[in-house]
Amino acid sequence: MVKLKIGVLSTAKIGREQVIPAIQRSQNAEVVAIASRNIENAKKVAEELSIPNTYSSYLDLLNDQSIDAVYIPLPNAMHKEWVMKACEHKKHVLCEKPITLDAAELEEIKKVAEENNVYVMEAFMYQFHPQHQKVKELLNSGAIGNVTMMRASFSFYLDDRTNIRLNNELGGGSMYDVGCYSIHAIRNILNQEPITVYAKSVERDNLGVDTTMTGVLSFENGIVGLFDSSFDSTHRQEYEVIGSKGTIRVSAAFRPDTSKDGKGKVILCVDGKEPEEFSIDGDQYTLMVEDFADAITKNRALSYTIDMALNQMKIVEAVYRSSESNNVVIVD
């Protein structure tokens, strides 16, 4: 099997601990290089994770003609610059979420990607876990009747003020970091786009970023989506779909690998019946990598395209517009 050769821009924790190991577990991709502006960091990570090549600059890695694609786990505010440069160097791109800070930036990336005939995918890994397909199957079977509402939450308490998630200049904020999952899950599970958004933000101690974001998505068919994200609350990562005859709850929606047994849990509660729990295994990071690599090596469309990412970014942007104006925002 031909393996996609991937270079990594930066030694960020998410790359070291999750995505690089997932690439190494995959059947159709391999990490062949890592770059850091601190070459000693690159060498240390390369030794720990058995990566053969290191570079002291991101551009040097992009100039390596043997590399097919790059994975970018840089701070949010740096995504656009380096995704664009990677595209210009004819590299396919897997970039951490949010891929950009607004829709206009992503439109620019889309144009450059098309001009250079490369794939760009936002790394929303959670959606590749099979537990979400189980939810969709239950909904399609009418298990809970007509859907009326969905809620999604992702939060954890963050007290470290030096953390980049609290740095406005680097694209910090709870919505960009974890709230995007709540928004994505509602859109993904309902398979619809909201027509209006209303959101409220909280900024702890004048940190310059939203440390809590809550809001409502309204859909044309009357379904309501309730979302929240926070650095001020205890750890929660769940969603629930509410219908006329019951509910479906996913208790480890975004990081099922952190649950006690490492599996996803889908809990079906139908009126008048005992709850039914489905325990579902899946390696979401590796499944994401394999889909990305398969699309490139077989020249097929990505399962999560740049247009899908653009729709997501338009909603995130609307959330921020609504929270800043304290008004309902119509989604463009």
Side-chain angles (χ1 to χ4, degrees):
M1 178 182 290
V2 175
K3 287 194 173 186
L4 189 74
K5 293 178 169 53
I6 300 177
V8 180
L9 302 190
S10 99
T11 57
K13 182 178 179 181
I14 183 67
R16 299 193 317 269
E17 296 186 359
Q18 300 298 336
V19 180
I20 292 173
I23 296 170
Q24 293 172 329
R25 290 192 300 270
S26 73
Q27 298 296 308
N28 56 358
E30 59 184 333
V31 180
V32 297
I34 188 166
S36 173
R37 288 171 293 187
N38 183 329
I39 188 61
E40 295 306 316
N41 284 347
K43 289 179 178 178
K44 180 181 178 183
V45 173
E47 182 177 358
E48 291 173 352
L49 298 177
S50 301
I51 300 170
N53 300 301
T54 58
Y55 291 98
S56 60
S57 83
Y58 304 146
L59 279 176
D60 286 346
L61 186 149
L62 293 179
N63 283 322
D64 184 336
Q65 298 300 307
S66 70
I67 294 173
D68 304 311
V70 293
Y71 164 62
I72 300 178
L74 292 164
N76 298 340
M78 299 175 67
H79 287 176
K80 179 198 169 186
E81 175 187 0
W82 288 101
V83 172
M84 297 271 283
K85 287 179 178 176
C87 291
E88 289 164 355
H89 282 76
K90 311 295 184 183
K91 309 298 186 192
H92 305 287
V93 179
L94 177 65
C95 181
E96 274 304 323
K97 34 56 52 190
I99 188 168
T100 56
L101 298 181
D102 58 47
E105 288 186 347
L106 191 47
E107 290 277 16
E108 291 182 57
I109 287 173
K110 179 183 176 182
K111 184 175 183 292
V112 171
E114 289 174 347
E115 289 172 350
N116 289 279
N117 195 31
V118 293
Y119 288 83
V120 174
M121 188 167 94
E122 186 177 30
F124 262 113
M125 79 299 176
Y126 92 92
Q127 64 187 314
F128 291 91
H129 196 284
Q131 67 177 340
H132 309 294
Q133 185 57 41
K134 181 63 177 179
V135 172
K136 292 178 181 180
E137 290 171 2
L138 290 170
L139 290 175
N140 290 336
S141 73
I144 62 170
N146 295 322
V147 174
T148 58
M149 184 183 303
M150 181 170 172
R151 62 174 186 85
S153 304
F154 201 169
S155 68
F156 64 95
Y157 189 75
L158 178 60
D159 199 32
D160 177 11
R161 293 180 180 233
T162 65
N163 193 292
I164 63 170
R165 294 175 176 88
L166 298 176
N167 187 320
N168 184 50
E169 293 182 357
L170 293 179
S174 74
M175 172 49 56
Y176 280 140
D177 189 62
V178 289
C180 57
Y181 287 98
S182 300
I183 297 289
H184 194 281
I186 293 171
R187 297 174 48 255
N188 178 33
I189 296 301
L190 297 181
N191 194 28
Q192 299 178 54
E193 297 297 341
I195 55 174
T196 66
V197 174
Y198 180 67
K200 293 283 289 184
S201 64
V202 175
E203 179 183 325
R204 187 205 317 160
D205 300 333
N206 298 313
L207 288 172
V209 299
D210 59 288
T211 53
T212 294
M213 185 76 79
T214 61
V216 181
L217 306 177
S218 298
F219 294 86
E220 192 168 8
N221 61 0
I223 295 176
V224 174
L226 308 175
F227 65 87
D228 68 82
S229 62
S230 186
F231 296 148
D232 300 327
S233 303
T234 190
H235 180 72
R236 295 144 61 242
Q237 47 140 343
E238 61 188 19
Y239 67 74
E240 182 179 31
V241 189
I242 300 136
S244 57
K245 297 179 181 178
T247 64
I248 300 170
R249 180 170 172 262
V250 181
S251 59
F254 308 115
R255 289 293 307 276
D257 53 302
T258 63
S259 64
K260 288 183 180 179
D261 62 0
K263 296 182 179 182
K265 298 290 188 297
V266 176
I267 304 162
L268 172 65
C269 296
V270 177
D271 295 347
K273 296 182 180 180
E274 288 295 315
E276 187 175 2
E277 181 176 301
F278 305 89
S279 182
I280 301 171
D281 201 5
D283 184 347
Q284 59 189 19
Y285 283 103
T286 300
L287 289 170
M288 172 185 69
V289 168
E290 289 183 339
D291 185 84
F292 176 70
D294 187 71
I296 294 167
T297 56
K298 295 181 180 177
N299 195 31
R300 65 160 176 83
L302 291 164
S303 296
Y304 187 57
T305 66
I306 197 166
D307 284 329
M308 294 175 180
L310 185 56
N311 288 338
Q312 164 76 4
M313 185 48 60
K314 287 177 180 177
I315 307 304
V316 172
E317 191 174 339
V319 167
Y320 275 112
R321 291 206 317 269
S322 177
S323 68
E324 290 164 3
S325 67
N326 197 31
N327 290 314
V328 174
V329 168
I330 298 173
V331 180
D332 298 330

